[in-house]
Amino acid sequence: SANSFFAACGTMTINFILLRVASSDEMAAFSVRTNVSNLFGVFGLAMGAVAFDLGSLTLGEDNRRDFLDIAKICFRKCFTVGGILTVACLIFTPLIDDMYGHQDIEALVALCVRIFILRIPFQAALSVYANLSNSLGRRVYSTVIYVFDDLMFPVLISIMLMGEFKAVGVWLSLTLCVPATLLLTYAYAYVKNKKLTVSLSGWIMLPEDFGVDDDMYYNTEFNVKDTDRLEEVKQAVYELFRKKQDNEKSASLAKEIVEIYGRKIIEHGSKSKHAHYMDICAFLKNDDCKIVIKDDCSSYELLSETDKDNKRLGDEVRSRVKNIDYRRTMQINELRVAI
């Protein structure tokens, strides 16, 4: 991917700079830092992946509140869990030195590793931010973020610091580049919003039309074995669309779709010995009636091309709606329908 390419370019450039200013002992210390980076860098990658998957799920429901809640929780975890990891690593750095067997340059290894460790929570936060932007469809923007974090800022800061601090300046650049990139995203949001951005939604640059009013939105969750609940839900969906859009045809079709696919999910989920849940969301957006049905049952294809019954049903429903789509994300089956 483009991100991997720019990361590789950044790594090669930094190594080239280090070869010009670092001693053999300092290069050895940096190799330990690289191994530690591979180990603890997983935290940031994991936080970013979770943010992307959960953010993508809420986009289907046009749920602004849930998207922002997910963002808040992810950023909070970055600095709480990341902070704990940082403190623990700072305390146990001597054990890392012993693990890699560089007792003769212990002080250099400790300095290099501790400088790196300070970036852990900031790197995780940047990963969350970039992946949330990616989930909003801003792939180019998220790539540009990584270009600055992996290549531009490390090289620029290294050039600024290596004259005075030599190898230590290069090590510092690999930590300082992360908060520098975060500040750059904030500055970009400021320019884009044309006002001083202080809110999370402003920093993430959520579109103004993302989200629906509460009175245009219905959402509920229930056990797939609770068949009586489906009757209540499909009637509630019908009433929402009938009352707010005053369109009997669309409201009846929405009720029918909830009935058809709700029953199929109940039939599939009831085969399991474990408890499974179905989440049904219905809302009005731009004069479209939209339905999102999610469940945590085992994987199956509601719109399968190989299962004749599901294909026939999918083709029949597709001919009567504007759009229908099925996906599976983070062990969640999700069906989206626009009428």
Side-chain angles (χ1 to χ4, degrees), residues 125-226:
L126 184 63
S127 179
V128 167
Y129 180 84
N131 278 278
L132 288 175
S133 298
N134 200 6
S135 72
L136 289 167
R138 302 186 187 121
R139 291 182 177 85
V140 174
Y141 178 56
S142 64
T143 298
V144 170
I145 289 171
Y146 286 116
V147 170
F148 277 93
D149 179 51
D150 293 329
L151 179 60
M152 300 296 291
F153 279 139
V155 173
L156 288 173
I157 297 173
S158 291
I159 293 171
M160 292 169 59
L161 298 180
M162 69 181 186
E164 180 71 23
F165 300 103
K166 304 299 181 183
V168 176
V170 180
W171 298 344
L172 283 168
S173 74
L174 295 173
T175 293
L176 294 176
C177 65
V178 188
T181 307
L182 285 169
L183 287 173
L184 182 66
T185 63
Y186 193 87
Y188 179 75
Y190 169 72
V191 173
K192 194 78 172 175
N193 296 327
K194 297 180 181 178
K195 61 180 179 180
L196 186 61
T197 302
V198 292
S199 66
L200 181 59
S201 61
W203 180 38
I204 298 174
M205 295 177 290
L206 277 182
E208 292 296 329
D209 63 346
F210 175 49
V212 294
D213 296 333
D214 289 344
D215 62 341
M216 298 287 189
Y217 188 87
Y218 172 81
N219 182 234
T220 190
E221 179 184 291
F222 57 95
N223 192 301
V224 297
K225 295 183 180 180
D226 187 0

Side-chain angles (χ1 to χ4, degrees), residues 173-318:
S173 74
L174 295 173
T175 293
L176 294 176
C177 65
V178 188
T181 307
L182 285 169
L183 287 173
L184 182 66
T185 63
Y186 193 87
Y188 179 75
Y190 169 72
V191 173
K192 194 78 172 175
N193 296 327
K194 297 180 181 178
K195 61 180 179 180
L196 186 61
T197 302
V198 292
S199 66
L200 181 59
S201 61
W203 180 38
I204 298 174
M205 295 177 290
L206 277 182
E208 292 296 329
D209 63 346
F210 175 49
V212 294
D213 296 333
D214 289 344
D215 62 341
M216 298 287 189
Y217 188 87
Y218 172 81
N219 182 234
T220 190
E221 179 184 291
F222 57 95
N223 192 301
V224 297
K225 295 183 180 180
D226 187 0
T227 55
D228 294 336
R229 188 82 175 90
L230 183 63
E231 296 298 320
E232 300 174 21
V233 173
K234 71 179 186 181
Q235 188 60 34
V237 171
Y238 170 82
E239 293 294 340
L240 173 70
F241 292 151
R242 183 71 180 85
K243 180 180 178 181
K244 296 299 180 181
Q245 200 183 46
D246 194 25
N247 187 322
E248 175 65 33
K249 183 179 178 181
S250 295
S252 297
L253 179 56
K255 180 179 180 180
E256 183 181 347
I257 288 172
V258 172
E259 166 72 20
I260 291 171
Y261 285 107
R263 290 291 175 192
K264 291 190 76 66
I265 293 170
I266 288 173
E267 179 184 345
H268 178 73
S270 297
K271 297 175 183 177
S272 173
K273 296 179 181 179
H274 305 288
H276 292 288
Y277 294 86
M278 187 190 326
D279 181 290
I280 297 179
C281 169
F283 58 95
L284 278 166
K285 184 70 179 286
N286 299 330
D287 296 326
D288 287 342
C289 301
K290 296 190 176 183
I291 304 168
V292 181
I293 304 176
K294 295 185 290 190
D295 66 84
D296 62 350
C297 303
S298 58
S299 177
Y300 63 100
E301 283 283 355
L302 280 175
L303 304 178
S304 173
E305 293 294 324
T306 55
D307 186 299
K308 291 183 178 180
D309 289 338
N310 281 348
K311 184 179 185 305
R312 177 187 55 77
L313 180 60
D315 290 341
E316 180 184 336
V317 173
R318 190 176 284 109

Side-chain angles (χ1 to χ4, degrees), residues 15-84:
N15 285 337
F16 178 80
I17 294 173
L18 271 176
L19 287 170
R20 296 293 181 274
V21 299
S23 65
S24 58
D25 286 347
E26 288 169 333
M27 289 299 296
F30 185 71
S31 69
V32 175
R33 178 261 181 212
T34 302
N35 290 329
V36 174
S37 172
N38 293 335
L39 178 63
F40 291 100
V42 174
F43 172 66
L45 294 174
M47 288 302 304
V50 169
F52 177 80
D53 288 339
L54 292 180
S56 298
L57 284 174
T58 61
L59 285 176
E61 299 177 5
D62 242 298
N63 196 323
R64 188 184 190 92
R65 185 187 307 156
D66 281 2
F67 188 93
L68 288 173
D69 285 344
I70 287 168
K72 290 175 185 175
I73 291 169
C74 286
F75 284 122
R76 193 178 300 129
K77 294 297 182 184
C78 288
F79 288 103
T80 54
V81 178
I84 292 170

